[in-house]
Each structure stands twice: as structure tokens, then as C-alpha cells.
Amino acid sequence: MKIKDGYVLRKVAENWVVLPVGKASVNLNGMLSLNESGVLLWQALKEESDRESLVNALLSAYEVSHDEAAADVDSFIASLVQYGCVDA
Amino acid sequence: MLCSISDLLVEVPAKGGLSSLCREYLADDSRVPDIIIRPEEYRYPTKITVPEETVAYMESGVQFYRGLLQYGGMMLHASAVAYGGKGFLFSGPCGVGKSTHTNLWKTVFGEDAVVFNDDKPALRRLDDKWFAYGTPWSGKNHINQNIKVPLAGICFLKQGEANQIRRLPSLEALQRILPQTLRKRLSPEEGSLLLCHIDRLILEVPVFELENRPEEAAVLLSYESMRRAAEDLGV
């Protein structure tokens, strides 16, 4: 999967935020706040990525178990699908 | 016709009723315009019929405020009042009482309080300072004046049973500002510029939320709180 076009990721006032513009702002009226691991996953998803590569990205950046990383990835993907940022 | 709006040279097409809206902003200048408004790029609604003048008003505004992003500026959906040489902006969703509140400033402060844009003032950062400007895009009553004032503060309104004001932390300020500025028509590059401007704005200009009743006491509360915070920040 991959993040659709029309999202801007930027640090504002010490917070990482995702701003939808153009058509993307129809699905998400406002913004998303991301934590550091969310930013890592978001950036990975700017390119086509599968679940396993995202889990591996978390494993190489943080000292977490495979199960914890997989759970993080699953909940992150679920949010992205819910807000329409990726194709399900 | 050439206009000077928020210290930018703007080429505005005279048709669609814009010539009368821009009367106060006409400029005589031989330089190349900073922003050129192109009627051929107006988007017309597909499902409903809208008068030509409404399309020209809305679409020229979209083009101007998109262009403004390239010059350290942005639009905020607000009623803007100038008093004591400074600008006070009252923002929030439609129907929250923005115009009602700034009209009450006129009741309290008389002719010294001037509503210089009742819908979409322009904000710009010049030489490390923020300014608010009147523009021809000022809502259905066309209440605007071509003036520039240092921006004292921004206040989001909320109807309530009592009058109380609080300073908004930066993340909350960002969350309030985003729905009240132009986003749907931006490119990702413009969206990035917008966030860059807001980042500075909320660091440099105090942002408040005023829960209020439509009465004069609310004006005294917003004015005193915003004036003091601006002075503390040296705005």
C-alpha cells in the first residue's frame, strides 16, 4: 500500500502533523497528529510498502518485539484506512 | 486593473463586479504584478447555477489567497477590527458571532474602532512582524478598508453563558486555525507553505478562545486580554 497524493507532513509547533489538501481534504477535514514512530511509518508509506516491511522499519528503529511492532503497524494502517489516506 | 492589496501588486480582472469591490485598492504602478488573477482559471460549480458575480468574487479570492502564500501571508476567516493602531482578529465557524462581536467593539470604543474586513482579512509576516490587512474579499456586506495594522492577536469565538477567555496552546491554536483558512484548493507545495506560516504565526502572535455572550463586557475582556498579551510579546 501507499499514501495517496495530497498530504503534507510537517512539524508545526513541535508537533508532527499531516495536512490534507485538495481532494484529500474532503475525507479528512482537519489534520492528523503523528508521533515519532507514526512519522517513520508515514514516510515509509510515501513509497509502496507492505505490512512486513513496515514492521521491519519499526524493528530497526526501536527496541520492540516483533509482535509489538506488528500491532503498532496494524493500528496505524487501520487509522490510515479509516481517514482514507491509503487504499484499503 | 492593477490593485495594491496587502502590499502586493495584484492584477484583477475588472469584470464580474470586481471593479467596484476593488475601487479602494487601485494602484498606479509600472512594475510586474506579484499576483495575476486569471478568469479563465475560475472554477464553476457543476451541479448548481451561481451568478457570474458570485463566481468571480469567490474564485478571484481563491487565486489571491493562494498567491499570498508565496509572499509570507495567509487568509484567516475572521472579522478584523483595528483599534489603538493594532489589529484584533475574531475567528470561528459561520454563525458563531464574529461580526456581532466586532460590532460591539464599535459600540464600546466608538469611531476609534474600525472593522477593516468582516470575512477574510489577509495576514502577512514582513521584517519579522505580523500585519493584518483589509482586502476586497470581505463577505456579503463588503465591509472593508484598505488599511494595514500590526496584528495584536487572534481570538476564536465560542458562544457561552458567561464571558471567559483563555490562551490556546500551540497545537490547539493550529487545530482551530486550519478549518478557518483556505485548504481545499491548495497544492501540496502550497499546503506546506501554509503550515510553515502557521508555525511562525502561533509562535509569534497570541491565540485565544473567548467564550462569550453578545454583550459589551465580552469586548472589554477580549480587548484587555489581547492587548496585554501583545504587549508582553512586544507585538
Side-chain angles (χ1 to χ4, degrees), chain B residues 165-212:
Chain B
I165 194 163
R166 68 182 177 105
R167 185 91 171 256
L168 294 180
S170 51
L171 184 60
E172 219 179 323
L174 169 68
Q175 287 165 337
R176 296 300 186 85
I177 290 170
L178 281 177
Q180 305 306 331
T181 189
L182 180 71
R183 291 175 307 130
K184 291 198 166 74
R185 300 284 293 272
L186 303 187
S187 67
E189 293 71 27
E190 290 164 337
S192 187
L193 275 174
L194 173 68
L195 289 180
C196 169
H197 301 337
I198 296 177
D199 188 24
R200 287 205 162 138
L201 181 72
I202 58 187
L203 192 69
E204 295 169 346
V205 174
V207 181
F208 295 87
E209 177 191 75
L210 174 71
E211 188 179 332
N212 76 111

Side-chain angles (χ1 to χ4, degrees), chain B residues 214-230:
Chain B
E215 61 188 19
E216 293 176 24
V219 173
L220 295 172
L221 180 61
S222 65
Y223 169 66
E224 273 305 321
S225 311
M226 293 171 85
R227 182 189 60 82
R228 246 182 277 131

